[in-house]
Amino acid sequence: MRTPTWAEDELVLAGALVVRNGWHELRTEDPAVQELSELLRSLPIHPAEARSLRGFRSAGSVSRKTSDFAANHPAYNGKGTKCGEPTRLMIRAFIDREQEMLDAADAIEEGIASGQLQLIPPQPDEDDDTGVTAVEGRLLVRRALARERDPKLRRLKIKQARQGGRPLRCEVCDFDFAQAYGPLGEGYIEVHHVTPLHASGTRSTRLDDLACLCANCHRMCHKNRPGESWRTPDALRALMHTSAPGSAQAASTTAS
């Protein structure tokens, strides 16, 4: 069995190490490299047989990955190392939104240290149909999806949404299941975890962290593309407006 390629979660942690070191590589003997090596070997991402391979995420391999990050930064003056596209996308993510990615690394580390992330079973939608995971990593997506599927939270969120006799509609597109399907759709909606993957930490989910969405909008919020994060309902709503026929941007795209 070959050593598996680096997953997004692992790249987040390695990238954070480099950023905190001023975008400089770290050597094998550096205590931070050795600590990260131990952490990576404990992440519940790769199968146990892969994690038991000799040299799996060794201190040497971690050091080489920090070299990839440092040597492929746009400001690096020397010759870049050969690294895969996932690493390049992660470098861009750290450049574009450094603090958010550092927060994501902290959330992964805290979740592993608390034992929480090891206890959450894999979720069916933690990666999309092509195997792409959100840039912040699979484990944070797994935690968010598990929270969304908590029956108690779902019931409470729907109760909150219907306060004052309000109709139960998608918060992005206003789709109403009861209006479309009659009694069959009465009381049905899906619940989405709005708070960015890294921001909620290990605290309990609040109702304001959740949004009621139709199945289509929920799927589009979670749909991943290489190097991207998931979308909030607000971001998806803005995307729908710019893509709608008749919008200025859609007209410009069609004309071109």
Side-chain angles (χ1 to χ4, degrees), residues 51-130:
R51 285 183 279 137
S52 66
L53 290 173
R54 183 178 182 181
F56 174 78
R57 303 301 182 257
S58 65
S61 69
V62 172
S63 176
R64 288 191 294 274
K65 183 52 67 178
T66 69
S67 298
D68 288 338
F69 272 89
N72 287 281
H73 188 281
Y76 185 72
N77 293 323
K79 183 179 180 181
T81 62
K82 292 183 178 180
C83 69
E85 186 62 16
T87 300
R88 296 184 188 279
L89 290 171
M90 193 62 70
I91 291 171
R92 176 51 55 191
F94 271 101
I95 292 173
D96 290 344
R97 44 196 183 95
E98 179 179 299
Q99 191 55 55
E100 290 184 24
M101 297 306 298
L102 291 175
D103 289 344
D106 288 341
I108 295 172
E109 291 176 358
E110 291 170 7
I112 292 298
S114 68
Q116 182 191 68
L117 291 179
Q118 292 96 322
L119 297 176
I120 303 173
Q123 301 293 309
D125 304 325
E126 62 189 41
D127 56 5
D128 68 13
D129 296 337
T130 63

Side-chain angles (χ1 to χ4, degrees), residues 136-224:
E136 291 92 348
R138 176 173 298 187
L139 294 178
L140 297 185
V141 175
R142 182 179 296 178
R143 183 178 65 192
L145 288 168
R147 286 176 174 176
E148 290 178 3
R149 289 165 178 151
D150 183 328
K152 180 180 178 180
L153 275 177
R154 184 177 181 279
R155 286 194 300 271
L156 290 174
K157 181 61 183 179
I158 291 175
K159 181 179 179 180
Q160 181 194 58
R162 304 184 80 172
Q163 284 179 347
R166 291 177 294 175
L168 190 60
R169 293 175 177 168
C170 174
E171 295 182 29
V172 173
C173 71
D174 288 332
F175 183 83
D176 185 327
F177 281 89
Q179 190 175 60
Y181 300 108
L184 179 64
E186 181 64 36
Y188 181 79
I189 200 79
E190 296 190 5
V191 171
H192 174 65
H193 200 278
V194 178
T195 309
L197 302 175
H198 56 272
S200 60
T202 56
R203 67 169 171 77
S204 299
T205 300
R206 299 173 299 192
L207 293 184
D208 288 344
D209 294 332
L210 304 170
C212 294
L213 303 180
C214 72
N216 284 346
C217 289
H218 193 189
R219 185 67 174 175
M220 289 298 100
C221 278
H222 275 293
K223 182 173 173 55
N224 299 314

Side-chain angles (χ1 to χ4, degrees), residues 13 15-23 99 101-103 105-106 109:
L13 295 171
L17 198 62
V18 175
V19 171
R20 289 174 174 136
N21 195 44
W23 282 99
Q99 191 55 55
M101 297 306 298
L102 291 175
D103 289 344
D106 288 341
E109 291 176 358

